[in-house]
Amino acid sequence: MTDFQPRSDFLRILEERGFIHQCSDFAGLDALAAKGEAVGYIGFDATAPSLHAGSLVQIMLLHWLQQTGNKAIALMGGGTTMVGDPSGRDESRKMLTPGDIEANKAGIRQVFSKFLTFGTGGRDAVMLDNAEWLLKLNWIEMLRDVGRHFSVNRMLSMDSVRLRLERDQEMSFIEFNYMVLQSYDFAHMAKTVGCNLQMGGSDQWGNIVNGVDLGRRMGTHQLYALTTPLLTTASGAKMGKTAQGAVWLNADMLSPYDYWQYWRNAEDADVSKFLRKFTVLPISEIIRLEALQGAEINEAKIVLATEATTLLHGRAAAESAAETARKTFQEGALAADLPSVDVAASEVEAGLGLLSAFVKAGIVPSTGEARRQIKSGGLRLNDAVVSDERAMLGAEAFNADGVAKLSMGKKKHVLLRLT
RNA sequence: GGGGGAAUGUCCCGAGCGGCAAAGGGGGCGGACUGUAAAUCCGCUGGCUAAGCCUUCGCAGGUUCGAGUCCUGCUUCCCCCA
């Protein structure tokens, strides 16, 4: 960033927390935000019933926009989803039915409501869906009103296009048009809801600036662009993705405990970055935590996990996850809200192999994997290493409450409950 | 429309004279060391009622005692020519 000194709370907070990569006009946007007149949006795909941690940066951006007295718009890409976002070269981008998209939007809305206050008042956040206007577009009108403002020469020179062409990679016409649609969204919302700011990841810069341009050509008020640095973890992984899958934000897709664990397991090098972006702790407190060295960083990680989980799932759920983790990892005790799976008492009496029990608990996918883990000493029953793959799970393994703890490695624990 | 090439372990990349549960990476999982971190080292990485059996190399047939490998047809993708 430049040496620009923001006056607005909005830009000041974004800057000190490391959210800013590029902005089309710092001074202009700053003046707007200082008056509480910024109306900013970010677009989100409606391809899944929940967002994942990879979208958190953008969500926090909207959060701060609203917290600093401005208006936030979460735009669902219901229309662009019908087309399929081509920028990822992922194979299966099936067309979603309108029903799917509606269901996904409902799920995503739940997440947003944790970070934003929705409503109809001036400062309330709103959720829009570009299907509302994109699906009605007429090809000829579109060409005449919007298409004439786009220079193909310029589109070809944009990074997103140029790099593909240079590498001789195929780019479909639909993909080429994506930026037109996105620009149109921006200009359309400028006219209809007074939107004047679009934010997004740094890879969106070209598309956003195109929207700013289109607005000017179509005679809207001045539009602004703001992008965030692309976030990866210290080891280069995409934010929000683990080998097990995405870090979902909806509680029914990823439990608060697992969400807490995701942050607790952050690499040292990521802790500072995460504290600034994914918690709302005062900067002074963050600076104190950043100063911790060596094993003390674990304290910072616990604060990170608890604060990040609080934002999404509430203080109670976060504290409970922290307590479960403390019992499990520090005391080795049996904490009640570890993930649990029920087994019928009759099944145990009939003779349940330990291997099958581990499969049943969902710890390993097959008995073969269970055998392998036993060979390398990875499986434990009530904290005792399992060495006999023929062992049975007897009634004596369950404590007075009818609970037995099955573990693999240091971090994976599941409780079996007799029913 | 004509010509050429490709598809392998259900995460990815990739080797594979007719004897193959199939080399090697990456990733992942477990172990050791640590701090629920990183780095490093070691092991594992089709399924099952497990010294045995079953199912895998794009799909469907065929040749053969035996096919990922040879033959025929099909599907999909890529390249060149028109």
Side-chain angles (χ1 to χ4, degrees), chain A residues 31-68:
Chain A
L32 214 54
K35 287 184 287 182
E37 289 174 5
V39 180
Y41 93 92
I42 299 179
F44 297 86
D45 268 346
T47 47
S50 169
L51 295 173
H52 58 75
S55 302
L56 266 184
V57 175
Q58 319 309 337
I59 295 174
M60 291 306 291
L61 227 43
L62 289 179
H63 172 83
W64 286 120
L65 184 65
Q66 183 171 47
Q67 289 305 305
T68 54

Side-chain angles (χ1 to χ4, degrees), chain A residues 9-10 12-14 33 36 59-72 112-118 123-125 280 311:
Chain A
D9 289 341
F10 179 59
R12 184 179 49 73
I13 288 174
L14 292 198
I59 295 174
M60 291 306 291
L61 227 43
L62 289 179
H63 172 83
W64 286 120
L65 184 65
Q66 183 171 47
Q67 289 305 305
T68 54
N70 295 284
K71 189 172 180 78
F112 274 116
S113 63
K114 305 283 178 49
F115 295 86
L116 299 172
T117 308
F118 286 105
R123 291 282 166 75
D124 287 337
V280 294
L311 271 178

Side-chain angles (χ1 to χ4, degrees), chain A residues 2 35 59 105 202 256 304 355 402 417:
Chain A
T2 62
K35 287 184 287 182
I59 295 174
K105 278 165 58 184
S202 59
L304 166 66
L355 294 177
R417 279 176 205 284

Side-chain angles (χ1 to χ4, degrees), chain A residues 268 288-298:
Chain A
D268 288 5
R288 183 186 75 78
L289 293 168
E290 285 169 349
L292 296 174
Q293 293 298 317
E296 290 186 329
I297 289 177
N298 284 322

Side-chain angles (χ1 to χ4, degrees), chain A residues 47 63 77 79 101 206 244 265 367 384 408 419:
Chain A
T47 47
H63 172 83
I101 293 177
Q244 286 75 39
N265 286 311
T367 57
M408 177 169 86
T419 56

